[in-house]
Amino acid sequence: MDSAPEMDSSTSINSTNSSNSSLVASSSTSSSRYENQKRRDWNTFGQYLKNHRPPLSLSRCSGAHVLEFLRYLDQFGKTKVHNAICPFYGHPNPPAPCPCPLRQAWGSLDALIGRLRAAFEENGGKPEANPFGARAVRLYLREVRDLQSKARGISYEKKKRKRPQQQIPSLPPPPPGAN
């Protein structure tokens, strides 16, 4: 049985190596940026499953494995998330450095899960068996959002949809002397 290589710190969700970059360059004219990112994310998740001990098949993957993957990705994060005991907890722009960990930003994780959820179904998965749509994953994302908003002093409010303005037909000017 071949053993899969361990993922090292140079592997991240946004990484591209020389073989991928030539593939992306040749297909970028036919695929959107979103489609390219979705494909890279899907390949990264597939690599994660291969490197999992014991290796996992996609059919045996659950929401718990997705959570494990998201926690694994935190080591590549660039967003400072202050601990509750940090003096800068709740400050969006701390005045000095602190030892708090870097994590994946909530928005990045949310977008990643959206792309992986779509990729799962595009690659033959049934919507009702989609591990990226599991309740545990949704709860985890909500928890990360709330924790990060408190830790960084930034609120994540749901954007309100703008309703299209209705066109009011213009009225003809009143006739002279009609007062």
Side-chain angles (χ1 to χ4, degrees):
M1 180 169 136
D2 293 337
S3 85
E6 293 293 323
M7 292 184 93
D8 63 356
S9 61
S10 65
T11 306
S12 77
I13 202 64
N14 294 320
S15 70
T16 54
N17 59 28
S18 59
S19 64
N20 276 351
S21 60
S22 62
L23 177 65
V24 169
S26 66
S27 66
S28 64
T29 55
S30 62
S31 295
S32 69
R33 182 176 173 197
Y34 170 81
E35 292 297 327
N36 289 332
Q37 186 64 54
K38 185 169 51 171
R39 186 183 73 263
R40 285 192 301 270
D41 293 343
W42 184 249
N43 290 340
T44 301
F45 186 72
Q47 190 66 40
Y48 177 79
L49 292 179
K50 267 190 229 170
N51 293 336
H52 191 274
R53 294 290 175 237
L56 276 170
S57 66
L58 188 58
S59 61
R60 301 201 61 216
C61 181
S62 69
H65 297 112
V66 173
L67 295 179
E68 207 175 273
F69 176 65
L70 294 177
R71 290 184 186 111
Y72 159 78
L73 290 178
D74 266 345
Q75 67 184 309
F76 307 112
K78 296 176 186 156
T79 299
K80 179 74 78 166
V81 180
H82 300 289
N83 295 318
I85 59 172
C86 178
F88 304 131
Y89 182 82
H91 293 278
N93 299 310
C98 68
C100 293
L102 293 173
R103 303 235 189 266
Q104 289 288 338
W106 165 76
S108 299
L109 293 177
D110 189 48
L112 169 68
I113 290 300
R115 289 189 301 267
L116 288 172
R117 193 172 180 175
F120 177 84
E121 293 175 19
E122 288 172 10
N123 286 283
K126 293 184 168 49
E128 60 276 5
N130 194 330
F132 303 101
R135 184 173 191 268
V137 174
R138 291 193 315 269
L139 292 174
Y140 176 78
L141 287 174
R142 185 179 310 152
E143 184 181 305
V144 167
R145 182 192 66 196
D146 294 345
L147 176 76
Q148 289 187 7
S149 68
K150 289 176 188 168
R152 299 177 65 220
I154 300 169
S155 66
Y156 292 106
E157 294 176 6
K158 197 167 189 175
K159 293 180 182 175
K160 295 178 182 170
R161 278 196 303 178
K162 291 183 180 178
R163 291 186 179 165
Q165 290 184 339
Q166 293 180 347
Q167 292 288 336
I168 300 173
S170 59
L171 299 174
N179 195 350

